[in-house]
Amino acid sequence: MSNIRKVAKLSGVSISTVSRYINKTANVKESTKIKIEKVIYDLNYVPNALARSIFSKTTFQIGLIIPTLSNPFFSEISFAIENFASIKGYSVILNIVNDDKEKEKKIIKTLIESRVDGIIVARTKHKELYENLDIPIVALENKINDKIPLLYADNWNGGRLALEHLVTCGCEKILMFVGDNKHLPIRLRKNGFMDLARESNISIATRQLFDEDENKSITELKFLFSDAELYDGIFVYNDIMAVNLIRYLSAKNLFNEIGKKINIIGFDNAIISRHMNPTITTISQNFDVLGKKSISLLINLINGECVQPISIIKTTLIKRETTKN
Amino acid sequence: MSNIRKVAKLSGVSISTVSRYINKTANVKESTKIKIEKVIYDLNYVPNALARSIFSKTTFQIGLIIPTLSNPFFSEISFAIENFASIKGYSVILNIVNDDKEKEKKIIKTLIESRVDGIIVARTKHKELYENLDIPIVALENKINDKIPLLYADNWNGGRLALEHLVTCGCEKILMFVGDNKHLPIRLRKNGFMDLARESNISIATRQLFDEDENKSITELKFLFSDAELYDGIFVYNDIMAVNLIRYLSAKNLFNEIGKKINIIGFDNAIISRHMNPTITTISQNFDVLGKKSISLLINLINGECVQPISIIKTTLIKRETTKN
């Protein structure tokens, strides 16, 4: 393959001028640029980004670490992150840890050795792995420590919006399916819902679910859902479990009551919530804004700027068929 | 940061020995290894993968190019690809082209400049962009040219399995929703279904849908679905459109007929097919096998080995609630 020396020779300029042109480290005269570009085109010369990166100490690569792609929250957020990273000139290395601590450890080692410019890590369960890393990091959803900026959707207010909407629908017997307490956003959803209930003197029945329940069949979930139909307003901590509740009620021949006698509201605005039968009223996490913000925070850190320790993205109500009003 | 020179000095060995140890280019005595490892640990020295890559001409990075992450087919396949790549020691750079030819062009340029070891490209609409690339490439779903190995699920036989199943369910009036003809796998599904119908003397009504229809609302799709309930066996070319058909029928108060008087079978075994209400009988593309095979084909190419020009992965019937038997 042709190299920088050949490009310099054929353009009649010095190697350092070609290098300045390729690495954009200093201005090159317009007429010189045109000469160099023509030679590069003729030679079909591909600049070596690796060599450039060693020189410039930046790879324009960022590592994205997520638990799974099967949960629509993470596929939507990855979609948005890739989109905004690409607009800003960064490539995204996708890493799925799948609850495997050893894999997460290995991934971090590989990313650091590859000299990525920064890391976005979503909902990690192993924050200790990130403690002593000397690299820009943005944490999505779960806090790692005080030094690493944290970004999440306003789950607390999302919980309030959910209860407000059920009240607007005229619901009087309200049930909340609470998710796994170990996740901060899940706790905040519950707290927002409960705080408004307390302020408004509304009594709430609760049922506790855990992460493991998301992989169970409707038959296995029967016990947890058993008396849901006694309530006229139900808040479920995420859309996937709202889907399961709807399937449970349908199997009990209560399909036609949903959105009439039984109002259901989920959380996430996952793709499935707009496709489900019926479509699910939910609280949107605004994935696009989350993706954009996580990239802009990371780029600020990469550029050595200060960023807010916590950024909170607004949540909004998306009204669909599972609720009356 | 400490460097290789320091490691050599403190371990009391030569720089080339440390280099041999780090780059695994030749054997290093066990006792020397232990000495080097201890110094590396004490110094918290991180080998520079960029420098190593320039030397070894391999980055252990592969580029994955997909059209979207919103379609579960692509999120499932990306999940499987990342999983198997990681097992084989490769990182995956995620690139979403989103039907944007300019973006796809830029992505390819960036991947080549970053010296990725190979590229997996799924369902590209711009095969001309890949014509003259001098790098291992595996094409998923859509053929690029005779030189680039192609991998896809056995959509033709999947179409046959779908009709076989509807016949087993006792269906006599059969309707097929045909997808966009420009995609090879979509054409093959139709052909398999039709070939078996011809062999078995079964007459089939068809309705043509296009890619754009997947983003339409149920109201906009009304016209296309309008007489679906007149049939007792319906094959829909993918799960997302099967979901829409089910929602259309439910809105017409035919929810209770689904899986009884009206049998519906989709295609893909996308996540939504197991969560939908009712759960959807479908043809599985075996994402795990597709992911594993695409990585093993690419690694074979990277290692300079010959691979089959076309690999076809078996499809299987997944029986769920939308069909009787």
Side-chain angles (χ1 to χ4, degrees):
Chain A
M1 188 171 291
S2 0
N3 59 24
I4 192 168
R5 207 174 289 274
K6 210 161 172 185
V7 174
K9 199 175 165 199
L10 290 170
S11 339
V13 302
S14 70
I15 292 174
S16 69
T17 305
V18 179
S19 161
R20 283 206 310 276
Y21 166 79
I22 290 171
N23 297 313
K24 300 185 181 70
T25 46
N27 274 338
V28 175
K29 255 200 306 184
E30 199 52 38
S31 59
T32 311
K33 252 190 207 169
I34 293 167
K35 264 193 278 182
I36 296 173
E37 268 162 17
K38 191 182 171 313
V39 173
I40 283 179
Y41 180 83
D42 291 345
L43 288 175
N44 197 16
Y45 166 71
V46 181
N48 189 328
L50 297 177
R52 189 165 57 202
S53 294
I54 286 183
F55 174 75
S56 65
K57 302 218 183 294
T58 167
T59 54
F60 289 104
Q61 290 191 336
I62 61 173
L64 171 64
I65 302 180
I66 55 175
T68 176
L69 263 183
S70 273
N71 179 332
F73 174 78
F74 295 108
S75 54
E76 291 279 345
I77 203 87
S78 303
F79 195 1
I81 285 175
E82 194 281 341
N83 191 16
F84 291 110
S86 159
I87 289 169
K88 293 290 182 185
Y90 285 81
S91 298
V92 174
I93 301 178
L94 173 71
N95 301 282
I96 301 166
V97 293
N98 222 346
D99 263 1
D100 177 342
K101 188 174 176 182
E102 278 314 302
K103 186 172 176 188
E104 193 162 349
K105 210 168 153 183
K106 212 180 106 196
I107 282 168
I108 295 169
K109 185 169 174 279
T110 304
L111 290 174
I112 300 290
E113 289 190 8
S114 311
R115 300 291 194 266
V116 292
D117 293 342
I119 294 175
I120 296 173
V121 53
R123 207 185 288 178
T124 181
K125 286 185 180 165
H126 305 290
K127 54 185 186 175
E128 69 278 11
L129 296 175
Y130 300 84
E131 288 287 349
N132 296 312
L133 299 183
D134 184 22
I135 182 175
I137 302 175
V138 169
L140 242 159
E141 286 228 316
N142 277 13
K143 180 174 171 170
I144 293 177
N145 61 38
D146 288 335
K147 288 175 296 180
I148 295 176
L150 171 66
L151 170 70
Y152 56 81
D154 191 347
N155 287 276
W156 183 81
N157 198 51
R160 291 180 72 95
L161 290 174
L163 180 55
E164 249 171 42
H165 180 63
L166 291 178
V167 170
T168 310
C169 293
C171 302
E172 291 178 339
K173 295 180 66 181
I174 296 177
L175 171 66
M176 167 168 51
F177 284 99
V178 181
D180 219 321
N181 263 311
K182 64 184 164 208
H183 306 297
L184 173 66
I186 301 288
R187 283 203 305 276
L188 289 171
R189 287 169 203 185
K190 176 181 127 187
N191 293 348
F193 197 88
M194 279 314 218
D195 288 350
L196 181 59
R198 214 169 294 120
E199 291 165 27
S200 318
N201 251 320
I202 301 170
S203 66
I204 308 284
T206 60
R207 298 283 175 278
Q208 178 72 51
L209 300 177
F210 297 97
D211 283 355
E212 304 79 77
D213 295 322
E214 291 182 18
N215 300 317
K216 287 186 181 158
S217 69
I218 299 302
T219 321
E220 290 172 296
L221 292 169
K222 232 176 189 165
F223 175 71
L224 292 160
F225 288 153
S226 65
D227 62 350
E229 65 263 33
L230 303 178
Y231 297 85
D232 59 359
I234 307 176
F235 172 47
V236 190
Y237 71 98
N238 79 10
D239 288 339
I240 288 283
M241 286 312 275
V243 161
N244 286 330
L245 174 64
I246 291 167
R247 289 188 40 226
Y248 165 82
L249 293 171
S250 301
K252 271 191 132 174
N253 272 320
L254 294 165
F255 178 80
N256 288 320
E257 307 290 346
I258 300 168
K260 287 162 201 141
K261 269 196 209 157
I262 307 172
N263 293 275
I264 299 172
I265 180 164
F267 206 108
D268 277 344
N269 193 26
I271 309 170
I272 205 167
S273 67
R274 15 177 226 281
H275 285 303
M276 186 57 183
N277 184 31
T279 56
I280 303 174
T281 296
T282 187
I283 304 294
S284 168
Q285 300 220 45
N286 297 311
F287 298 118
D288 254 34
V289 184
L290 273 171
K292 199 170 191 168
K293 185 74 184 177
S294 61
I295 291 296
S296 77
L297 283 173
L298 191 64
I299 292 179
N300 284 345
L301 287 179
I302 290 170
N303 293 334
E305 293 161 26
C306 285
V307 305
Q308 283 178 289
I310 295 180
S311 306
I312 303 173
I313 305 298
K314 209 181 142 195
T315 44
T316 43
L317 172 76
I318 310 284
K319 167 72 189 83
R320 296 207 185 92
E321 296 168 359
T322 53
T323 55
K324 231 182 300 197
N325 264 310
Chain B
M1 184 170 292
S2 1
N3 59 24
I4 192 168
R5 205 174 291 273
K6 209 160 171 184
V7 174
K9 199 176 165 197
L10 291 169
S11 337
V13 301
S14 70
I15 292 173
S16 68
T17 304
V18 178
S19 162
R20 281 207 310 278
Y21 166 79
I22 290 171
N23 297 311
K24 299 184 182 67
T25 47
N27 275 337
V28 175
K29 256 199 304 184
E30 201 51 40
S31 58
T32 312
K33 254 189 205 168
I34 292 167
K35 264 193 277 180
I36 297 173
E37 268 162 16
K38 191 183 172 310
V39 173
I40 284 180
Y41 180 83
D42 290 346
L43 287 176
N44 196 16
Y45 167 70
V46 181
N48 188 328
L50 298 176
R52 188 164 59 202
S53 294
I54 286 182
F55 173 75
S56 65
K57 301 221 182 293
T58 168
T59 53
F60 289 103
Q61 290 191 337
I62 62 172
L64 171 63
I65 302 180
I66 55 175
T68 177
L69 264 183
S70 274
N71 178 332
F73 174 78
F74 295 107
S75 54
E76 290 280 347
I77 203 87
S78 303
F79 195 0
I81 284 174
E82 195 280 341
N83 191 16
F84 290 110
S86 158
I87 289 169
K88 293 290 181 183
Y90 285 81
S91 298
V92 174
I93 301 178
L94 173 71
N95 300 281
I96 301 166
V97 293
N98 221 346
D99 262 2
D100 177 342
K101 189 175 175 182
E102 278 314 302
K103 186 172 177 189
E104 193 162 350
K105 210 167 151 181
K106 211 180 106 195
I107 281 167
I108 295 169
K109 185 170 174 278
T110 305
L111 291 175
I112 300 289
E113 289 189 8
S114 310
R115 300 292 195 267
V116 292
D117 293 342
I119 294 174
I120 296 172
V121 52
R123 207 185 287 178
T124 179
K125 285 186 180 164
H126 305 291
K127 53 184 185 175
E128 69 279 10
L129 296 175
Y130 300 84
E131 287 289 347
N132 297 311
L133 299 183
D134 185 22
I135 182 175
I137 301 175
V138 169
L140 241 159
E141 285 228 317
N142 276 13
K143 181 175 171 170
I144 294 177
N145 62 37
D146 289 336
K147 288 175 295 179
I148 295 176
L150 172 65
L151 170 70
Y152 56 82
D154 192 348
N155 287 276
W156 183 81
N157 197 51
R160 291 180 73 95
L161 290 174
L163 181 54
E164 250 172 39
H165 180 63
L166 291 178
V167 170
T168 311
C169 293
C171 303
E172 291 179 338
K173 295 180 67 182
I174 294 176
L175 171 66
M176 167 169 50
F177 284 99
V178 181
D180 220 321
N181 262 310
K182 64 184 166 209
H183 306 298
L184 174 67
I186 302 289
R187 283 203 305 278
L188 289 170
R189 287 167 203 186
K190 177 181 126 188
N191 293 347
F193 197 87
M194 279 313 215
D195 288 351
L196 181 60
R198 215 169 293 119
E199 291 165 27
S200 319
N201 251 320
I202 300 171
S203 66
I204 308 285
T206 60
R207 299 282 176 276
Q208 179 70 52
L209 300 177
F210 297 98
D211 283 356
E212 305 80 76
D213 296 322
E214 290 182 18
N215 300 317
K216 287 185 181 159
S217 69
I218 299 302
T219 321
E220 291 172 295
L221 291 168
K222 230 175 191 167
F223 174 71
L224 292 160
F225 289 154
S226 65
D227 62 351
E229 64 264 34
L230 303 177
Y231 297 85
D232 59 0
I234 308 177
F235 171 48
V236 190
Y237 71 97
N238 78 12
D239 288 339
I240 287 282
M241 287 311 276
V243 161
N244 286 330
L245 175 64
I246 291 167
R247 289 188 40 226
Y248 165 83
L249 294 170
S250 301
K252 270 190 131 175
N253 272 320
L254 295 164
F255 178 79
N256 288 320
E257 307 290 347
I258 299 169
K260 287 161 201 144
K261 270 197 206 156
I262 307 172
N263 293 274
I264 299 172
I265 179 165
F267 206 108
D268 278 344
N269 194 25
I271 308 169
I272 205 168
S273 65
R274 21 175 222 280
H275 286 302
M276 186 57 184
N277 183 33
T279 57
I280 304 174
T281 297
T282 189
I283 305 294
S284 167
Q285 300 220 46
N286 297 312
F287 299 118
D288 254 34
V289 184
L290 273 171
K292 199 172 192 165
K293 184 74 184 174
S294 61
I295 290 297
S296 76
L297 283 173
L298 191 65
I299 292 178
N300 284 345
L301 287 178
I302 291 169
N303 293 335
E305 292 161 26
C306 285
V307 305
Q308 283 179 291
I310 295 180
S311 306
I312 303 173
I313 305 299
K314 210 180 142 197
T315 45
T316 42
L317 173 77
I318 310 284
K319 169 73 188 83
R320 296 205 184 92
E321 295 169 1
T322 54
T323 56
K324 227 181 299 195
N325 264 310

